[in-house]
Amino acid sequence: MSKLLYITANPKKDVKLSKGAQIGEAFLEEFKKVQPDVDIEQMHLYSMDIPEIDMDLLYGRAKLSFMGYTKEQLSEAERTKLEKMHALADRFIAADYYVFVTPIWNLGAPAILKSFMDCLFITGKTFTNTPEGPKGLLTGRKALHIQTRGGVYSTGPMVEFEMGDRYLRKALEFLGFDLMDTVIAEGMDHFPKLVPEIIAKAKMEAAAAAGEMAKKTVTL
C-alpha cells in the first residue's frame, strides 16, 4: 500500500486555529477521494522528539563516517541520538507522497522544521557523493509545500527575503524529490478582511494539487 506523509510545523494543534491546517485539510480530503486506499501518516513536528544537531551528533557522525569508530565505541548519548536520527529518516523514506504544511516566521520556516530536515541528510541513505557531486537518492517521489504568510513575499520588496519555502524546496531537491508548485496563502496579516478569500483560494489550489499528486504513479 502506498503512503502519504503529511507533515505540519505549527504548535497549534486545533485545526480551527491554524490557517495552514485548514488548507491542508482541503488537500487531504481531495487526495482521499482520488486515492482512497493510500495510507496517510501525519507527523506533527511539535509533538515529536526530534534530535537536534549538537556535540553528540556532530562527533557521533564524524566518528562513524571517517574516524574509524564502530557503533559500539560511541558514547551512549551519541549512539542514542544517532539511532533516533536514523529511525526518523527511515520513517520518512518509507512514504511515497509528501506534503509539508508550514508558516513563514521571521523570513524563514519554524526552527523545528530545520531540525527535522537535518535528520534526513544521511550519506548513503538519502543522498550519496559522486565524482560529479552529491546525488539525491529519494527520487521518483512527489512533494508539495503548503505555506501560509502574514506578509506578501511573492511580489514587491520582500521577494528576496523569503527563506522558508526557498529552503525547503532546495533541501528536497537536493534529496532527489519531484517538487510541485508551492500552494501559498499570503498577506493575511496585511489584509485581515481578505483572510476568508485568501484561504478559500488556497484551499482550491491545494485540492487541485492533491488531485494532480494522487493521479501520479510513484516509481521508487
Side-chain angles (χ1 to χ4, degrees), residues 3-20:
K3 177 182 289 187
L4 167 70
L5 193 57
Y6 179 78
I7 302 162
T8 59
N10 195 312
K12 299 175 182 176
K13 296 182 180 180
D14 189 339
V15 173
K16 296 178 181 178
L17 299 178
S18 170
K19 300 178 181 67

PDB file of all heavy atoms in Angstrom, residues 3-20:
ATOM      1  N   LYS A   3       1.922   5.214   0.662  1.00  0.00           N
ATOM      2  CA  LYS A   3       1.763   6.026   1.870  1.00  0.00           C
ATOM      3  C   LYS A   3       1.980   7.497   1.556  1.00  0.00           C
ATOM      4  O   LYS A   3       2.900   7.877   0.825  1.00  0.00           O
ATOM      5  CB  LYS A   3       2.765   5.587   2.941  1.00  0.00           C
ATOM      6  CG  LYS A   3       2.715   6.443   4.212  1.00  0.00           C
ATOM      7  CD  LYS A   3       3.752   6.008   5.236  1.00  0.00           C
ATOM      8  CE  LYS A   3       3.385   4.685   5.836  1.00  0.00           C
ATOM      9  NZ  LYS A   3       4.311   4.323   6.955  1.00  0.00           N
ATOM     10  N   LEU A   4       1.122   8.333   2.112  1.00  0.00           N
ATOM     11  CA  LEU A   4       1.274   9.782   2.064  1.00  0.00           C
ATOM     12  C   LEU A   4       1.725  10.256   3.437  1.00  0.00           C
ATOM     13  O   LEU A   4       1.093   9.943   4.451  1.00  0.00           O
ATOM     14  CB  LEU A   4      -0.056  10.459   1.700  1.00  0.00           C
ATOM     15  CG  LEU A   4      -0.123  11.976   1.903  1.00  0.00           C
ATOM     16  CD1 LEU A   4       0.744  12.692   0.881  1.00  0.00           C
ATOM     17  CD2 LEU A   4      -1.561  12.486   1.814  1.00  0.00           C
ATOM     18  N   LEU A   5       2.820  11.003   3.475  1.00  0.00           N
ATOM     19  CA  LEU A   5       3.311  11.561   4.726  1.00  0.00           C
ATOM     20  C   LEU A   5       2.918  13.036   4.772  1.00  0.00           C
ATOM     21  O   LEU A   5       3.325  13.833   3.923  1.00  0.00           O
ATOM     22  CB  LEU A   5       4.826  11.409   4.806  1.00  0.00           C
ATOM     23  CG  LEU A   5       5.479  11.649   6.179  1.00  0.00           C
ATOM     24  CD1 LEU A   5       4.882  10.737   7.236  1.00  0.00           C
ATOM     25  CD2 LEU A   5       6.981  11.432   6.082  1.00  0.00           C
ATOM     26  N   TYR A   6       2.121  13.381   5.760  1.00  0.00           N
ATOM     27  CA  TYR A   6       1.576  14.726   5.914  1.00  0.00           C
ATOM     28  C   TYR A   6       2.264  15.374   7.120  1.00  0.00           C
ATOM     29  O   TYR A   6       2.064  14.962   8.261  1.00  0.00           O
ATOM     30  CB  TYR A   6       0.065  14.640   6.125  1.00  0.00           C
ATOM     31  CG  TYR A   6      -0.648  15.957   6.315  1.00  0.00           C
ATOM     32  CD1 TYR A   6      -0.943  16.779   5.227  1.00  0.00           C
ATOM     33  CD2 TYR A   6      -1.070  16.358   7.587  1.00  0.00           C
ATOM     34  CE1 TYR A   6      -1.630  17.972   5.406  1.00  0.00           C
ATOM     35  CE2 TYR A   6      -1.754  17.545   7.766  1.00  0.00           C
ATOM     36  CZ  TYR A   6      -2.026  18.353   6.676  1.00  0.00           C
ATOM     37  OH  TYR A   6      -2.703  19.536   6.857  1.00  0.00           O
ATOM     38  N   ILE A   7       3.112  16.366   6.861  1.00  0.00           N
ATOM     39  CA  ILE A   7       3.996  16.930   7.883  1.00  0.00           C
ATOM     40  C   ILE A   7       3.599  18.368   8.191  1.00  0.00           C
ATOM     41  O   ILE A   7       3.543  19.215   7.286  1.00  0.00           O
ATOM     42  CB  ILE A   7       5.459  16.888   7.398  1.00  0.00           C
ATOM     43  CG1 ILE A   7       5.855  15.444   7.073  1.00  0.00           C
ATOM     44  CG2 ILE A   7       6.402  17.494   8.430  1.00  0.00           C
ATOM     45  CD1 ILE A   7       7.084  15.329   6.200  1.00  0.00           C
ATOM     46  N   THR A   8       3.336  18.650   9.457  1.00  0.00           N
ATOM     47  CA  THR A   8       2.983  20.013   9.850  1.00  0.00           C
ATOM     48  C   THR A   8       4.008  20.559  10.839  1.00  0.00           C
ATOM     49  O   THR A   8       4.495  19.832  11.706  1.00  0.00           O
ATOM     50  CB  THR A   8       1.580  20.074  10.495  1.00  0.00           C
ATOM     51  OG1 THR A   8       1.544  19.233  11.661  1.00  0.00           O
ATOM     52  CG2 THR A   8       0.517  19.608   9.515  1.00  0.00           C
ATOM     53  N   ALA A   9       4.310  21.846  10.688  1.00  0.00           N
ATOM     54  CA  ALA A   9       5.266  22.503  11.587  1.00  0.00           C
ATOM     55  C   ALA A   9       4.594  23.727  12.181  1.00  0.00           C
ATOM     56  O   ALA A   9       4.874  24.872  11.820  1.00  0.00           O
ATOM     57  CB  ALA A   9       6.528  22.898  10.829  1.00  0.00           C
ATOM     58  N   ASN A  10       3.667  23.475  13.078  1.00  0.00           N
ATOM     59  CA  ASN A  10       2.927  24.541  13.738  1.00  0.00           C
ATOM     60  C   ASN A  10       2.498  24.047  15.113  1.00  0.00           C
ATOM     61  O   ASN A  10       1.929  22.948  15.219  1.00  0.00           O
ATOM     62  CB  ASN A  10       1.698  24.932  12.898  1.00  0.00           C
ATOM     63  CG  ASN A  10       1.097  26.260  13.327  1.00  0.00           C
ATOM     64  OD1 ASN A  10       0.879  26.497  14.517  1.00  0.00           O
ATOM     65  ND2 ASN A  10       0.819  27.135  12.370  1.00  0.00           N
ATOM     66  N   PRO A  11       2.736  24.818  16.177  1.00  0.00           N
ATOM     67  CA  PRO A  11       2.371  24.363  17.518  1.00  0.00           C
ATOM     68  C   PRO A  11       0.862  24.332  17.768  1.00  0.00           C
ATOM     69  O   PRO A  11       0.411  23.752  18.752  1.00  0.00           O
ATOM     70  CB  PRO A  11       3.064  25.375  18.443  1.00  0.00           C
ATOM     71  CG  PRO A  11       3.199  26.609  17.611  1.00  0.00           C
ATOM     72  CD  PRO A  11       3.440  26.113  16.219  1.00  0.00           C
ATOM     73  N   LYS A  12       0.079  24.945  16.885  1.00  0.00           N
ATOM     74  CA  LYS A  12      -1.381  24.945  17.052  1.00  0.00           C
ATOM     75  C   LYS A  12      -1.933  23.582  16.656  1.00  0.00           C
ATOM     76  O   LYS A  12      -1.871  23.190  15.498  1.00  0.00           O
ATOM     77  CB  LYS A  12      -2.006  26.033  16.176  1.00  0.00           C
ATOM     78  CG  LYS A  12      -1.558  27.446  16.514  1.00  0.00           C
ATOM     79  CD  LYS A  12      -2.135  28.454  15.522  1.00  0.00           C
ATOM     80  CE  LYS A  12      -1.649  29.866  15.811  1.00  0.00           C
ATOM     81  NZ  LYS A  12      -2.132  30.841  14.802  1.00  0.00           N
ATOM     82  N   LYS A  13      -2.480  22.864  17.613  1.00  0.00           N
ATOM     83  CA  LYS A  13      -2.991  21.523  17.352  1.00  0.00           C
ATOM     84  C   LYS A  13      -4.436  21.535  16.853  1.00  0.00           C
ATOM     85  O   LYS A  13      -4.880  20.584  16.210  1.00  0.00           O
ATOM     86  CB  LYS A  13      -2.876  20.670  18.614  1.00  0.00           C
ATOM     87  CG  LYS A  13      -1.431  20.434  19.059  1.00  0.00           C
ATOM     88  CD  LYS A  13      -1.359  19.545  20.274  1.00  0.00           C
ATOM     89  CE  LYS A  13       0.094  19.311  20.699  1.00  0.00           C
ATOM     90  NZ  LYS A  13       0.173  18.434  21.890  1.00  0.00           N
ATOM     91  N   ASP A  14      -5.166  22.596  17.183  1.00  0.00           N
ATOM     92  CA  ASP A  14      -6.558  22.707  16.765  1.00  0.00           C
ATOM     93  C   ASP A  14      -6.604  23.237  15.332  1.00  0.00           C
ATOM     94  O   ASP A  14      -6.117  24.335  15.049  1.00  0.00           O
ATOM     95  CB  ASP A  14      -7.310  23.656  17.700  1.00  0.00           C
ATOM     96  CG  ASP A  14      -8.816  23.656  17.457  1.00  0.00           C
ATOM     97  OD1 ASP A  14      -9.238  23.259  16.356  1.00  0.00           O
ATOM     98  OD2 ASP A  14      -9.555  24.073  18.359  1.00  0.00           O
ATOM     99  N   VAL A  15      -7.187  22.459  14.430  1.00  0.00           N
ATOM    100  CA  VAL A  15      -7.249  22.856  13.023  1.00  0.00           C
ATOM    101  C   VAL A  15      -7.936  24.202  12.865  1.00  0.00           C
ATOM    102  O   VAL A  15      -7.561  25.007  12.009  1.00  0.00           O
ATOM    103  CB  VAL A  15      -7.983  21.786  12.193  1.00  0.00           C
ATOM    104  CG1 VAL A  15      -8.201  22.257  10.763  1.00  0.00           C
ATOM    105  CG2 VAL A  15      -7.208  20.479  12.213  1.00  0.00           C
ATOM    106  N   LYS A  16      -8.917  24.486  13.705  1.00  0.00           N
ATOM    107  CA  LYS A  16      -9.653  25.752  13.600  1.00  0.00           C
ATOM    108  C   LYS A  16      -8.764  26.956  13.878  1.00  0.00           C
ATOM    109  O   LYS A  16      -9.068  28.070  13.438  1.00  0.00           O
ATOM    110  CB  LYS A  16     -10.834  25.746  14.573  1.00  0.00           C
ATOM    111  CG  LYS A  16     -11.882  24.681  14.273  1.00  0.00           C
ATOM    112  CD  LYS A  16     -12.995  24.717  15.303  1.00  0.00           C
ATOM    113  CE  LYS A  16     -14.036  23.636  15.011  1.00  0.00           C
ATOM    114  NZ  LYS A  16     -15.123  23.614  16.039  1.00  0.00           N
ATOM    115  N   LEU A  17      -7.667  26.749  14.606  1.00  0.00           N
ATOM    116  CA  LEU A  17      -6.783  27.853  14.959  1.00  0.00           C
ATOM    117  C   LEU A  17      -5.639  28.027  13.968  1.00  0.00           C
ATOM    118  O   LEU A  17      -4.909  29.015  14.037  1.00  0.00           O
ATOM    119  CB  LEU A  17      -6.208  27.630  16.365  1.00  0.00           C
ATOM    120  CG  LEU A  17      -7.208  27.545  17.510  1.00  0.00           C
ATOM    121  CD1 LEU A  17      -6.476  27.265  18.826  1.00  0.00           C
ATOM    122  CD2 LEU A  17      -8.020  28.825  17.620  1.00  0.00           C
ATOM    123  N   SER A  18      -5.471  27.092  13.083  1.00  0.00           N
ATOM    124  CA  SER A  18      -4.349  27.124  12.137  1.00  0.00           C
ATOM    125  C   SER A  18      -4.863  27.267  10.711  1.00  0.00           C
ATOM    126  O   SER A  18      -5.538  26.376  10.194  1.00  0.00           O
ATOM    127  CB  SER A  18      -3.507  25.847  12.262  1.00  0.00           C
ATOM    128  OG  SER A  18      -2.572  25.760  11.206  1.00  0.00           O
ATOM    129  N   LYS A  19      -4.529  28.369  10.082  1.00  0.00           N
ATOM    130  CA  LYS A  19      -4.955  28.587   8.688  1.00  0.00           C
ATOM    131  C   LYS A  19      -4.286  27.572   7.774  1.00  0.00           C
ATOM    132  O   LYS A  19      -4.899  27.076   6.827  1.00  0.00           O
ATOM    133  CB  LYS A  19      -4.630  30.015   8.268  1.00  0.00           C
ATOM    134  CG  LYS A  19      -5.310  31.092   9.107  1.00  0.00           C
ATOM    135  CD  LYS A  19      -4.902  32.481   8.658  1.00  0.00           C
ATOM    136  CE  LYS A  19      -5.551  33.570   9.502  1.00  0.00           C
ATOM    137  NZ  LYS A  19      -5.047  33.543  10.909  1.00  0.00           N
ATOM    138  N   GLY A  20      -3.018  27.271   8.040  1.00  0.00           N
ATOM    139  CA  GLY A  20      -2.322  26.282   7.228  1.00  0.00           C
ATOM    140  C   GLY A  20      -2.978  24.915   7.325  1.00  0.00           C
ATOM    141  O   GLY A  20      -3.133  24.220   6.318  1.00  0.00           O
TER     142      GLY A  20
END
